[in-house]
């Protein structure tokens, strides 16, 4: 709020999407999954309220283009060990993404590949938040300033 950022919250899981909507965030919300090069065009869920449903998976590039966005202030990726696939599907040179946070499950091994990938694409690791009870770590990457 203090930075006057726009928000877009993407959540494919029906129950978590309902919880997200109940928070009344000042942001657009989409019940979809973000597509990667190896994912299917839809994902299936069993939900206590809605039963068996299929949720479409969309390319982040398509979503940003539809919204007319070339700049993203903060991209937060929490995709249950699919982070690298999602990041590879985003043309990072086409968009100005200032801050990227990535959640890792402790011991997954994906943190080093994501770190190398983002370092190779003009980001530096800025901070790490560790949540021991949940065995999750969030890493914050910021885009290097052009000289």
């Amino acid at each position: 709020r203090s930075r006057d950022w726009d928000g877009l919250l993407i959540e494919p899981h029906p129950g978590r999407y309902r919880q997200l909507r109940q928070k009344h965030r000042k942001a657009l919300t989409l019940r979809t999954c973000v597509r990667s090069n190896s994912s299917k065009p839809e994902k299936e869920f069993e939900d206590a309220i809605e039963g068996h449903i299929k949720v479409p998976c969309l390319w982040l590039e398509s979503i940003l283009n539809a919204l007319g966005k070339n700049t993203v202030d903060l991209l937060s990726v929490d995709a249950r060990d699919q982070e690298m696939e999602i990041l590879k599907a985003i043309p990072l040179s086409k968009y100005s993404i200032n801050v990227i946070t990535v959640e890792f499950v402790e011991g997954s091994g994906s943190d080093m590949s994501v770190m190398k990938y983002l370092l190779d694409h003009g980001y530096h690791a800025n901070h790490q938040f560790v949540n021991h009870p949940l065995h999750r770590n969030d890493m914050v990457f910021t885009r290097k300033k052009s000289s």
Side-chain angles (χ1 to χ4, degrees):
R1 289 180 183 168
S2 65
R3 296 180 191 269
D4 199 31
W5 287 355
D6 293 331
L8 171 62
L9 306 170
I10 300 172
E11 175 57 60
H13 188 277
R16 288 193 290 268
Y17 183 77
R18 282 192 299 274
Q19 290 173 341
L20 171 71
R21 296 281 296 158
Q22 290 172 353
K23 292 182 181 184
H24 303 289
R25 303 271 192 210
K26 184 185 169 190
L28 297 173
T29 62
L30 289 176
R31 185 167 79 173
T32 188
C33 53
V34 175
R35 186 136 186 223
S36 70
N37 295 326
S38 64
S39 68
K40 297 178 181 178
E42 60 188 18
K43 190 169 183 169
E44 297 183 26
F45 292 96
E46 284 296 327
D47 183 65
I49 295 174
E50 297 180 55
H52 183 83
I53 66 162
K54 294 180 181 180
V55 175
C57 297
L58 304 173
W59 298 102
L60 185 60
E61 181 176 13
S62 297
I63 295 167
L64 293 174
N65 287 343
L67 294 172
K69 296 287 184 184
N70 290 325
T71 299
V72 175
D73 296 307
L74 170 67
L75 172 65
S76 179
V77 181
D78 175 2
R80 309 270 192 262
D81 223 18
Q82 298 294 310
E83 295 83 7
M84 191 69 211
E85 291 297 317
I86 289 171
L87 289 170
K88 281 184 176 179
I90 302 168
L92 293 173
S93 61
K94 184 176 177 179
Y95 298 97
S96 177
I97 303 175
N98 298 319
V99 180
I100 299 175
T101 66
V102 182
E103 181 183 88
F104 300 102
V105 175
E106 196 173 285
S108 69
S110 63
D111 55 347
M112 293 309 291
S113 59
V114 167
M115 184 179 291
K116 181 180 179 343
Y117 181 78
L118 289 175
L119 291 174
D120 290 347
H121 284 84
Y123 289 84
H124 66 273
N126 198 40
H127 193 76
Q128 180 174 0
F129 297 97
V130 178
N131 188 336
H132 291 291
L134 297 175
H135 302 287
R136 290 180 167 49
N137 300 326
D138 286 293
M139 296 204 59
V140 179
F141 300 89
T142 53
R143 192 165 45 99
K144 293 177 184 172
K145 302 286 185 214
S146 305
S147 350

